[in-house]
Amino acid sequence: MPVDINISTEGKEVPVQEKLKMLYELQTVVSEIDKINILRGELPLEVQDLEDEIVGLKTRITNYNDEVKSLNTAIANKKLEIKDSKTKIDKYKEQQESVRNNREFDSLSKEMEFQTLEIELSEKRIREFTIDIKNKTDQVEASVALLKEREDDLIRKRKELEEITSETAVEEEKLKAKVIKIESMIEERLVTAFNRIRKNARNGLSVVTVQRDACGGCFNKIPPQRQLDIASRKKIIVCEYCGRILVDKDIVTPMEELNAE
């Protein structure tokens, strides 16, 4: 069954025909604003993504540098352990020269073997830490290079966005002012309905004309009688398929009082 929007006109003596004209004019203006946003394209999102990526890269570089510092500290500690083990080995060798029996000699030999294994383990750890430092240093260098690229990209994208914004700012402000003016002439519930439909419409169209016997939004066929009702402009009619407000193509005539600014 066809769906109509029944909006109270209490407090405002505005004929339905004029409401339809104002709604179509409102759609025309907000569509112009949409065109400006399309002109800006994905630049605002690209700028935001680059800013987020740069923050992430800086954090990554800081973390890598902290890890390198920790590894260098670990290497320094291992070198101290090696020095300590060598000191102990020299002491045990000296003690072996004055042992009283084989049991003491063997005990010192085992201590020397243990310290030798400690030295080998520390040297192994130092080699591993050194490799880790090399890998993380390479990652830092790669991240720094990528950071420089992204910062250059951000400067360029921001400049593009600023240029487009400055070129369209005046026009956009005028259009937004016109939207406010038109909305002030339409009852609030009807404006709310317009914005609700617009929000749910993929192309931002709340008000569409009948084109080739079909809805200009979803392109579903409109019965002849329904088209006559639309053309009569006696009530606000929406498409039973997509919910957009329907107007006849002859309503396209702009509102002179709004465009004469």
Side-chain angles (χ1 to χ4, degrees), residues 1-3 221-223 226 237-244 246:
M1 174 163 307
V3 182
K221 287 292 183 181
I222 301 173
R226 198 62 172 166
I237 299 174
V238 301
C239 175
E240 60 182 296
Y241 299 100
C242 67
R244 291 178 174 89
L246 295 167

Side-chain angles (χ1 to χ4, degrees), residues 8-233:
S8 172
T9 59
E10 182 179 354
K12 290 197 177 183
E13 297 297 330
V14 180
V16 174
Q17 178 172 323
E18 291 305 311
K19 289 184 182 182
L20 290 169
K21 285 183 178 180
M22 286 188 286
L23 283 169
Y24 189 82
E25 183 71 10
L26 178 60
Q27 180 63 67
T28 300
V29 177
V30 295
S31 291
E32 288 299 315
I33 295 175
D34 288 343
K35 288 179 182 178
I36 291 175
N37 291 328
I38 291 172
L39 180 62
R40 291 173 185 159
E42 299 295 323
L43 277 175
L45 291 177
E46 290 176 11
V47 167
Q48 183 62 55
D49 288 344
L50 283 169
E51 289 173 343
D52 292 343
E53 186 176 359
I54 286 171
V55 171
L57 284 169
K58 287 180 177 179
T59 301
R60 185 190 307 173
I61 291 169
T62 298
N63 291 339
Y64 282 150
N65 285 329
D66 289 344
E67 290 173 6
V68 168
K69 288 180 182 178
S70 296
L71 289 168
N72 280 321
T73 299
I75 288 175
N77 290 335
K78 289 300 176 183
K79 287 181 177 180
L80 288 175
E81 291 176 10
I82 290 173
K83 183 178 180 181
D84 182 61
S85 292
K86 287 181 177 180
T87 299
K88 288 180 179 178
I89 289 173
D90 291 339
K91 183 182 71 173
Y92 295 148
K93 282 182 179 180
E94 184 177 342
Q95 289 176 351
Q96 277 183 329
E97 294 177 359
S98 59
V99 295
R100 291 172 295 181
N101 52 56
N102 289 336
R103 185 173 59 81
E104 291 180 0
F105 185 90
D106 291 341
S107 177
L108 290 170
S109 294
K110 288 181 180 179
E111 288 295 333
M112 292 169 61
E113 288 177 7
F114 176 76
Q115 294 302 324
T116 300
L117 290 174
E118 286 291 301
I119 290 172
E120 292 176 353
L121 180 60
S122 293
E123 290 175 339
K124 179 183 178 183
R125 291 286 182 265
I126 288 174
R127 289 193 295 271
E128 292 173 349
F129 294 157
T130 302
I131 292 173
D132 285 345
I133 288 174
K134 176 63 169 60
N135 291 336
K136 294 189 183 302
T137 301
D138 290 344
Q139 290 174 329
V140 167
E141 292 176 356
S143 296
V144 168
L146 182 58
L147 175 61
K148 179 63 170 59
E149 290 180 13
R150 293 296 179 264
E151 287 177 335
D152 290 343
D153 289 341
L154 180 58
I155 291 172
R156 178 171 53 82
K157 292 292 184 182
R158 277 178 174 169
K159 185 177 180 181
E160 290 178 16
L161 182 57
E162 287 172 3
E163 288 176 352
I164 293 175
T165 300
S166 62
E167 290 172 0
T168 58
V170 175
E171 180 184 358
E172 185 176 13
E173 286 305 311
K174 287 182 178 179
L175 290 170
K176 287 181 177 179
K178 186 172 284 189
V179 166
I180 294 173
K181 183 173 182 179
I182 297 172
E183 288 182 343
S184 69
M185 300 170 66
I186 307 173
E187 56 201 88
E188 185 177 349
R189 291 179 60 193
L190 191 52
V191 172
T192 300
F194 173 91
N195 290 327
R196 184 183 67 250
I197 297 169
R198 176 171 160 77
K199 182 179 179 180
N200 295 327
R202 185 178 60 181
N203 53 9
L205 295 177
S206 296
V207 182
V208 295
T209 57
V210 177
Q211 302 173 10
R212 297 181 180 178
D213 301 327
C215 169
C218 66
F219 308 110
N220 279 295
K221 287 292 183 181
I222 301 173
Q225 182 56 50
R226 198 62 172 166
Q227 292 185 51
L228 291 175
D229 292 339
I230 295 168
S232 70
R233 305 178 192 172

